[in-house]
PDB file of all heavy atoms in Angstrom:
ATOM      1  N   ALA A   1      -1.931  -4.328  21.794  1.00  0.00           N
ATOM      2  CA  ALA A   1      -3.254  -4.084  21.211  1.00  0.00           C
ATOM      3  C   ALA A   1      -3.429  -4.845  19.894  1.00  0.00           C
ATOM      4  O   ALA A   1      -4.485  -5.426  19.641  1.00  0.00           O
ATOM      5  CB  ALA A   1      -3.453  -2.585  20.994  1.00  0.00           C
ATOM      6  N   LYS A   2      -2.388  -4.865  19.083  1.00  0.00           N
ATOM      7  CA  LYS A   2      -2.458  -5.568  17.799  1.00  0.00           C
ATOM      8  C   LYS A   2      -2.621  -7.074  18.023  1.00  0.00           C
ATOM      9  O   LYS A   2      -3.446  -7.721  17.377  1.00  0.00           O
ATOM     10  CB  LYS A   2      -1.197  -5.288  16.977  1.00  0.00           C
ATOM     11  CG  LYS A   2      -1.215  -5.921  15.608  1.00  0.00           C
ATOM     12  CD  LYS A   2       0.040  -5.570  14.825  1.00  0.00           C
ATOM     13  CE  LYS A   2       0.048  -6.244  13.463  1.00  0.00           C
ATOM     14  NZ  LYS A   2       1.273  -5.939  12.728  1.00  0.00           N
ATOM     15  N   ALA A   3      -1.854  -7.627  18.954  1.00  0.00           N
ATOM     16  CA  ALA A   3      -1.937  -9.058  19.243  1.00  0.00           C
ATOM     17  C   ALA A   3      -3.299  -9.428  19.833  1.00  0.00           C
ATOM     18  O   ALA A   3      -3.794 -10.538  19.605  1.00  0.00           O
ATOM     19  CB  ALA A   3      -0.812  -9.469  20.190  1.00  0.00           C
ATOM     20  N   LYS A   4      -3.911  -8.504  20.549  1.00  0.00           N
ATOM     21  CA  LYS A   4      -5.229  -8.759  21.129  1.00  0.00           C
ATOM     22  C   LYS A   4      -6.341  -8.591  20.099  1.00  0.00           C
ATOM     23  O   LYS A   4      -7.491  -8.906  20.376  1.00  0.00           O
ATOM     24  CB  LYS A   4      -5.478  -7.808  22.312  1.00  0.00           C
ATOM     25  CG  LYS A   4      -4.671  -8.168  23.544  1.00  0.00           C
ATOM     26  CD  LYS A   4      -4.749  -7.104  24.617  1.00  0.00           C
ATOM     27  CE  LYS A   4      -6.065  -7.003  25.287  1.00  0.00           C
ATOM     28  NZ  LYS A   4      -6.057  -6.031  26.409  1.00  0.00           N
ATOM     29  N   GLY A   5      -5.997  -8.072  18.923  1.00  0.00           N
ATOM     30  CA  GLY A   5      -6.991  -7.900  17.863  1.00  0.00           C
ATOM     31  C   GLY A   5      -7.882  -6.684  18.052  1.00  0.00           C
ATOM     32  O   GLY A   5      -9.044  -6.686  17.625  1.00  0.00           O
ATOM     33  N   GLU A   6      -7.326  -5.647  18.658  1.00  0.00           N
ATOM     34  CA  GLU A   6      -8.118  -4.434  18.872  1.00  0.00           C
ATOM     35  C   GLU A   6      -8.396  -3.735  17.540  1.00  0.00           C
ATOM     36  O   GLU A   6      -7.775  -4.026  16.524  1.00  0.00           O
ATOM     37  CB  GLU A   6      -7.412  -3.514  19.866  1.00  0.00           C
ATOM     38  CG  GLU A   6      -7.386  -4.111  21.263  1.00  0.00           C
ATOM     39  CD  GLU A   6      -6.989  -3.135  22.349  1.00  0.00           C
ATOM     40  OE1 GLU A   6      -7.044  -1.914  22.117  1.00  0.00           O
ATOM     41  OE2 GLU A   6      -6.624  -3.605  23.433  1.00  0.00           O
ATOM     42  N   SER A   7      -9.306  -2.793  17.559  1.00  0.00           N
ATOM     43  CA  SER A   7      -9.788  -2.146  16.337  1.00  0.00           C
ATOM     44  C   SER A   7      -8.692  -1.347  15.638  1.00  0.00           C
ATOM     45  O   SER A   7      -7.721  -0.895  16.261  1.00  0.00           O
ATOM     46  CB  SER A   7     -10.951  -1.212  16.669  1.00  0.00           C
ATOM     47  OG  SER A   7     -10.482  -0.060  17.360  1.00  0.00           O
ATOM     48  N   ILE A   8      -8.883  -1.150  14.348  1.00  0.00           N
ATOM     49  CA  ILE A   8      -7.947  -0.355  13.553  1.00  0.00           C
ATOM     50  C   ILE A   8      -7.880   1.068  14.098  1.00  0.00           C
ATOM     51  O   ILE A   8      -6.809   1.672  14.137  1.00  0.00           O
ATOM     52  CB  ILE A   8      -8.340  -0.361  12.057  1.00  0.00           C
ATOM     53  CG1 ILE A   8      -8.085  -1.754  11.478  1.00  0.00           C
ATOM     54  CG2 ILE A   8      -7.575   0.695  11.274  1.00  0.00           C
ATOM     55  CD1 ILE A   8      -8.504  -1.913  10.031  1.00  0.00           C
ATOM     56  N   ASP A   9      -9.011   1.599  14.538  1.00  0.00           N
ATOM     57  CA  ASP A   9      -9.029   2.959  15.093  1.00  0.00           C
ATOM     58  C   ASP A   9      -8.144   3.058  16.332  1.00  0.00           C
ATOM     59  O   ASP A   9      -7.397   4.024  16.493  1.00  0.00           O
ATOM     60  CB  ASP A   9     -10.455   3.391  15.439  1.00  0.00           C
ATOM     61  CG  ASP A   9     -11.302   3.642  14.203  1.00  0.00           C
ATOM     62  OD1 ASP A   9     -10.728   3.896  13.118  1.00  0.00           O
ATOM     63  OD2 ASP A   9     -12.546   3.576  14.322  1.00  0.00           O
ATOM     64  N   ARG A  10      -8.211   2.055  17.198  1.00  0.00           N
ATOM     65  CA  ARG A  10      -7.385   2.043  18.417  1.00  0.00           C
ATOM     66  C   ARG A  10      -5.909   1.943  18.059  1.00  0.00           C
ATOM     67  O   ARG A  10      -5.067   2.668  18.604  1.00  0.00           O
ATOM     68  CB  ARG A  10      -7.810   0.876  19.318  1.00  0.00           C
ATOM     69  CG  ARG A  10      -6.911   0.633  20.504  1.00  0.00           C
ATOM     70  CD  ARG A  10      -7.220   1.561  21.643  1.00  0.00           C
ATOM     71  NE  ARG A  10      -6.420   1.161  22.802  1.00  0.00           N
ATOM     72  CZ  ARG A  10      -5.654   1.985  23.478  1.00  0.00           C
ATOM     73  NH1 ARG A  10      -5.619   3.263  23.181  1.00  0.00           N
ATOM     74  NH2 ARG A  10      -4.932   1.558  24.488  1.00  0.00           N
ATOM     75  N   LEU A  11      -5.585   1.046  17.133  1.00  0.00           N
ATOM     76  CA  LEU A  11      -4.192   0.876  16.699  1.00  0.00           C
ATOM     77  C   LEU A  11      -3.666   2.160  16.066  1.00  0.00           C
ATOM     78  O   LEU A  11      -2.531   2.576  16.327  1.00  0.00           O
ATOM     79  CB  LEU A  11      -4.081  -0.288  15.716  1.00  0.00           C
ATOM     80  CG  LEU A  11      -4.475  -1.672  16.246  1.00  0.00           C
ATOM     81  CD1 LEU A  11      -4.443  -2.703  15.131  1.00  0.00           C
ATOM     82  CD2 LEU A  11      -3.591  -2.091  17.409  1.00  0.00           C
ATOM     83  N   THR A  12      -4.502   2.779  15.248  1.00  0.00           N
ATOM     84  CA  THR A  12      -4.125   4.032  14.588  1.00  0.00           C
ATOM     85  C   THR A  12      -3.844   5.120  15.621  1.00  0.00           C
ATOM     86  O   THR A  12      -2.845   5.842  15.523  1.00  0.00           O
ATOM     87  CB  THR A  12      -5.242   4.496  13.627  1.00  0.00           C
ATOM     88  OG1 THR A  12      -5.463   3.468  12.659  1.00  0.00           O
ATOM     89  CG2 THR A  12      -4.884   5.783  12.923  1.00  0.00           C
ATOM     90  N   MET A  13      -4.705   5.212  16.614  1.00  0.00           N
ATOM     91  CA  MET A  13      -4.547   6.230  17.655  1.00  0.00           C
ATOM     92  C   MET A  13      -3.205   6.067  18.383  1.00  0.00           C
ATOM     93  O   MET A  13      -2.500   7.046  18.641  1.00  0.00           O
ATOM     94  CB  MET A  13      -5.704   6.136  18.652  1.00  0.00           C
ATOM     95  CG  MET A  13      -5.704   7.196  19.721  1.00  0.00           C
ATOM     96  SD  MET A  13      -7.062   7.008  20.883  1.00  0.00           S
ATOM     97  CE  MET A  13      -6.485   5.610  21.833  1.00  0.00           C
ATOM     98  N   ILE A  14      -2.855   4.828  18.683  1.00  0.00           N
ATOM     99  CA  ILE A  14      -1.598   4.567  19.397  1.00  0.00           C
ATOM    100  C   ILE A  14      -0.406   4.976  18.547  1.00  0.00           C
ATOM    101  O   ILE A  14       0.506   5.666  19.010  1.00  0.00           O
ATOM    102  CB  ILE A  14      -1.495   3.081  19.806  1.00  0.00           C
ATOM    103  CG1 ILE A  14      -2.589   2.722  20.823  1.00  0.00           C
ATOM    104  CG2 ILE A  14      -0.107   2.784  20.381  1.00  0.00           C
ATOM    105  CD1 ILE A  14      -2.741   1.222  21.055  1.00  0.00           C
ATOM    106  N   LEU A  15      -0.400   4.553  17.268  1.00  0.00           N
ATOM    107  CA  LEU A  15       0.744   4.886  16.398  1.00  0.00           C
ATOM    108  C   LEU A  15       0.814   6.377  16.077  1.00  0.00           C
ATOM    109  O   LEU A  15       1.909   6.916  15.911  1.00  0.00           O
ATOM    110  CB  LEU A  15       0.716   4.054  15.121  1.00  0.00           C
ATOM    111  CG  LEU A  15       1.157   2.609  15.264  1.00  0.00           C
ATOM    112  CD1 LEU A  15       1.203   1.914  13.906  1.00  0.00           C
ATOM    113  CD2 LEU A  15       2.516   2.496  15.948  1.00  0.00           C
ATOM    114  N   GLU A  16      -0.322   7.038  15.992  1.00  0.00           N
ATOM    115  CA  GLU A  16      -0.300   8.488  15.768  1.00  0.00           C
ATOM    116  C   GLU A  16       0.346   9.190  16.965  1.00  0.00           C
ATOM    117  O   GLU A  16       1.145  10.129  16.782  1.00  0.00           O
ATOM    118  CB  GLU A  16      -1.723   9.015  15.549  1.00  0.00           C
ATOM    119  CG  GLU A  16      -2.272   8.696  14.183  1.00  0.00           C
ATOM    120  CD  GLU A  16      -3.735   9.092  14.017  1.00  0.00           C
ATOM    121  OE1 GLU A  16      -4.457   9.283  15.033  1.00  0.00           O
ATOM    122  OE2 GLU A  16      -4.171   9.199  12.864  1.00  0.00           O
ATOM    123  N   ALA A  17       0.022   8.732  18.167  1.00  0.00           N
ATOM    124  CA  ALA A  17       0.640   9.309  19.372  1.00  0.00           C
ATOM    125  C   ALA A  17       2.149   9.067  19.361  1.00  0.00           C
ATOM    126  O   ALA A  17       2.937   9.958  19.715  1.00  0.00           O
ATOM    127  CB  ALA A  17       0.014   8.712  20.625  1.00  0.00           C
ATOM    128  N   TYR A  18       2.553   7.871  18.943  1.00  0.00           N
ATOM    129  CA  TYR A  18       3.984   7.568  18.865  1.00  0.00           C
ATOM    130  C   TYR A  18       4.656   8.445  17.810  1.00  0.00           C
ATOM    131  O   TYR A  18       5.742   8.984  18.041  1.00  0.00           O
ATOM    132  CB  TYR A  18       4.202   6.083  18.541  1.00  0.00           C
ATOM    133  CG  TYR A  18       5.654   5.721  18.408  1.00  0.00           C
ATOM    134  CD1 TYR A  18       6.478   5.663  19.524  1.00  0.00           C
ATOM    135  CD2 TYR A  18       6.221   5.465  17.164  1.00  0.00           C
ATOM    136  CE1 TYR A  18       7.824   5.356  19.412  1.00  0.00           C
ATOM    137  CE2 TYR A  18       7.564   5.147  17.045  1.00  0.00           C
ATOM    138  CZ  TYR A  18       8.356   5.092  18.168  1.00  0.00           C
ATOM    139  OH  TYR A  18       9.690   4.793  18.049  1.00  0.00           O
ATOM    140  N   GLN A  19       4.016   8.585  16.672  1.00  0.00           N
ATOM    141  CA  GLN A  19       4.622   9.342  15.577  1.00  0.00           C
ATOM    142  C   GLN A  19       4.783  10.827  15.910  1.00  0.00           C
ATOM    143  O   GLN A  19       5.665  11.487  15.369  1.00  0.00           O
ATOM    144  CB  GLN A  19       3.812   9.180  14.300  1.00  0.00           C
ATOM    145  CG  GLN A  19       4.537   9.732  13.095  1.00  0.00           C
ATOM    146  CD  GLN A  19       3.883   9.345  11.802  1.00  0.00           C
ATOM    147  OE1 GLN A  19       2.858   8.695  11.782  1.00  0.00           O
ATOM    148  NE2 GLN A  19       4.474   9.760  10.714  1.00  0.00           N
ATOM    149  N   LYS A  20       3.969  11.344  16.804  1.00  0.00           N
ATOM    150  CA  LYS A  20       4.129  12.738  17.223  1.00  0.00           C
ATOM    151  C   LYS A  20       5.448  12.937  17.970  1.00  0.00           C
ATOM    152  O   LYS A  20       5.995  14.024  17.983  1.00  0.00           O
ATOM    153  CB  LYS A  20       2.962  13.169  18.112  1.00  0.00           C
ATOM    154  CG  LYS A  20       1.679  13.387  17.351  1.00  0.00           C
ATOM    155  CD  LYS A  20       0.548  13.776  18.276  1.00  0.00           C
ATOM    156  CE  LYS A  20      -0.748  13.898  17.486  1.00  0.00           C
ATOM    157  NZ  LYS A  20      -1.904  14.121  18.354  1.00  0.00           N
ATOM    158  N   ARG A  21       5.949  11.844  18.592  1.00  0.00           N
ATOM    159  CA  ARG A  21       7.183  11.930  19.366  1.00  0.00           C
ATOM    160  C   ARG A  21       8.395  11.414  18.605  1.00  0.00           C
ATOM    161  O   ARG A  21       9.502  11.883  18.799  1.00  0.00           O
ATOM    162  CB  ARG A  21       7.015  11.161  20.673  1.00  0.00           C
ATOM    163  CG  ARG A  21       5.811  11.702  21.454  1.00  0.00           C
ATOM    164  CD  ARG A  21       5.584  10.968  22.705  1.00  0.00           C
ATOM    165  NE  ARG A  21       6.175  11.759  23.767  1.00  0.00           N
ATOM    166  CZ  ARG A  21       6.530  11.275  24.919  1.00  0.00           C
ATOM    167  NH1 ARG A  21       6.371  10.008  25.178  1.00  0.00           N
ATOM    168  NH2 ARG A  21       7.046  12.049  25.835  1.00  0.00           N
ATOM    169  N   GLU A  22       8.189  10.384  17.779  1.00  0.00           N
ATOM    170  CA  GLU A  22       9.276   9.754  17.019  1.00  0.00           C
ATOM    171  C   GLU A  22       8.771   9.500  15.601  1.00  0.00           C
ATOM    172  O   GLU A  22       7.630   9.093  15.426  1.00  0.00           O
ATOM    173  CB  GLU A  22       9.666   8.401  17.643  1.00  0.00           C
ATOM    174  CG  GLU A  22      10.172   8.476  19.053  1.00  0.00           C
ATOM    175  CD  GLU A  22      11.580   9.000  19.163  1.00  0.00           C
ATOM    176  OE1 GLU A  22      12.379   8.750  18.245  1.00  0.00           O
ATOM    177  OE2 GLU A  22      11.879   9.662  20.172  1.00  0.00           O
ATOM    178  N   PHE A  23       9.631   9.692  14.637  1.00  0.00           N
ATOM    179  CA  PHE A  23       9.247   9.390  13.255  1.00  0.00           C
ATOM    180  C   PHE A  23      10.191   8.313  12.738  1.00  0.00           C
ATOM    181  O   PHE A  23      11.293   8.608  12.280  1.00  0.00           O
ATOM    182  CB  PHE A  23       9.322  10.646  12.373  1.00  0.00           C
ATOM    183  CG  PHE A  23       8.677  10.467  11.028  1.00  0.00           C
ATOM    184  CD1 PHE A  23       7.307  10.586  10.884  1.00  0.00           C
ATOM    185  CD2 PHE A  23       9.444  10.157   9.919  1.00  0.00           C
ATOM    186  CE1 PHE A  23       6.697  10.421   9.643  1.00  0.00           C
ATOM    187  CE2 PHE A  23       8.852   9.978   8.670  1.00  0.00           C
ATOM    188  CZ  PHE A  23       7.482  10.116   8.535  1.00  0.00           C
ATOM    189  N   GLU A  24       9.767   7.064  12.889  1.00  0.00           N
ATOM    190  CA  GLU A  24      10.570   5.929  12.452  1.00  0.00           C
ATOM    191  C   GLU A  24       9.907   5.300  11.240  1.00  0.00           C
ATOM    192  O   GLU A  24       8.686   5.164  11.191  1.00  0.00           O
ATOM    193  CB  GLU A  24      10.700   4.892  13.553  1.00  0.00           C
ATOM    194  CG  GLU A  24      11.541   5.339  14.716  1.00  0.00           C
ATOM    195  CD  GLU A  24      11.686   4.243  15.755  1.00  0.00           C
ATOM    196  OE1 GLU A  24      11.738   3.063  15.378  1.00  0.00           O
ATOM    197  OE2 GLU A  24      11.740   4.591  16.941  1.00  0.00           O
ATOM    198  N   GLU A  25      10.727   4.864  10.312  1.00  0.00           N
ATOM    199  CA  GLU A  25      10.224   4.300   9.065  1.00  0.00           C
ATOM    200  C   GLU A  25       9.277   3.122   9.303  1.00  0.00           C
ATOM    201  O   GLU A  25       8.189   3.058   8.727  1.00  0.00           O
ATOM    202  CB  GLU A  25      11.405   3.869   8.199  1.00  0.00           C
ATOM    203  CG  GLU A  25      11.022   3.369   6.833  1.00  0.00           C
ATOM    204  CD  GLU A  25      12.226   3.043   5.972  1.00  0.00           C
ATOM    205  OE1 GLU A  25      13.339   2.891   6.504  1.00  0.00           O
ATOM    206  OE2 GLU A  25      12.041   2.931   4.762  1.00  0.00           O
ATOM    207  N   LYS A  26       9.686   2.191  10.146  1.00  0.00           N
ATOM    208  CA  LYS A  26       8.884   0.982  10.378  1.00  0.00           C
ATOM    209  C   LYS A  26       7.483   1.323  10.875  1.00  0.00           C
ATOM    210  O   LYS A  26       6.486   0.820  10.354  1.00  0.00           O
ATOM    211  CB  LYS A  26       9.591   0.077  11.395  1.00  0.00           C
ATOM    212  CG  LYS A  26       8.785  -1.141  11.780  1.00  0.00           C
ATOM    213  CD  LYS A  26       9.478  -1.975  12.829  1.00  0.00           C
ATOM    214  CE  LYS A  26       8.601  -3.175  13.190  1.00  0.00           C
ATOM    215  NZ  LYS A  26       9.245  -4.050  14.150  1.00  0.00           N
ATOM    216  N   TRP A  27       7.405   2.179  11.884  1.00  0.00           N
ATOM    217  CA  TRP A  27       6.108   2.473  12.484  1.00  0.00           C
ATOM    218  C   TRP A  27       5.298   3.437  11.631  1.00  0.00           C
ATOM    219  O   TRP A  27       4.058   3.397  11.644  1.00  0.00           O
ATOM    220  CB  TRP A  27       6.288   2.963  13.914  1.00  0.00           C
ATOM    221  CG  TRP A  27       6.960   1.908  14.727  1.00  0.00           C
ATOM    222  CD1 TRP A  27       8.213   1.951  15.262  1.00  0.00           C
ATOM    223  CD2 TRP A  27       6.450   0.598  15.014  1.00  0.00           C
ATOM    224  NE1 TRP A  27       8.507   0.766  15.879  1.00  0.00           N
ATOM    225  CE2 TRP A  27       7.443  -0.096  15.748  1.00  0.00           C
ATOM    226  CE3 TRP A  27       5.259  -0.062  14.741  1.00  0.00           C
ATOM    227  CZ2 TRP A  27       7.270  -1.392  16.197  1.00  0.00           C
ATOM    228  CZ3 TRP A  27       5.089  -1.351  15.191  1.00  0.00           C
ATOM    229  CH2 TRP A  27       6.083  -2.011  15.908  1.00  0.00           C
ATOM    230  N   SER A  28       5.973   4.272  10.861  1.00  0.00           N
ATOM    231  CA  SER A  28       5.255   5.145   9.931  1.00  0.00           C
ATOM    232  C   SER A  28       4.604   4.315   8.829  1.00  0.00           C
ATOM    233  O   SER A  28       3.457   4.549   8.445  1.00  0.00           O
ATOM    234  CB  SER A  28       6.211   6.173   9.314  1.00  0.00           C
ATOM    235  OG  SER A  28       6.715   7.016  10.317  1.00  0.00           O
TER     236      SER A  28
END
């Protein structure tokens, strides 16, 4: 999504979903 230039809201939604399962420094 980031490479395709999708919206910040879309990128945020994806990382929030990831962070609910894993809390990694890089992605946080």
Side-chain angles (χ1 to χ4, degrees):
K2 183 178 178 182
K4 287 171 71 175
E6 292 193 18
S7 72
I8 290 177
D9 289 338
R10 172 82 173 128
L11 298 175
T12 301
M13 184 181 74
I14 295 168
L15 284 185
E16 284 174 341
Y18 178 72
Q19 191 169 2
K20 286 179 184 173
R21 303 178 99 202
E22 299 285 328
F23 192 81
E24 291 183 34
E25 185 176 17
K26 175 183 179 177
W27 300 112
S28 296

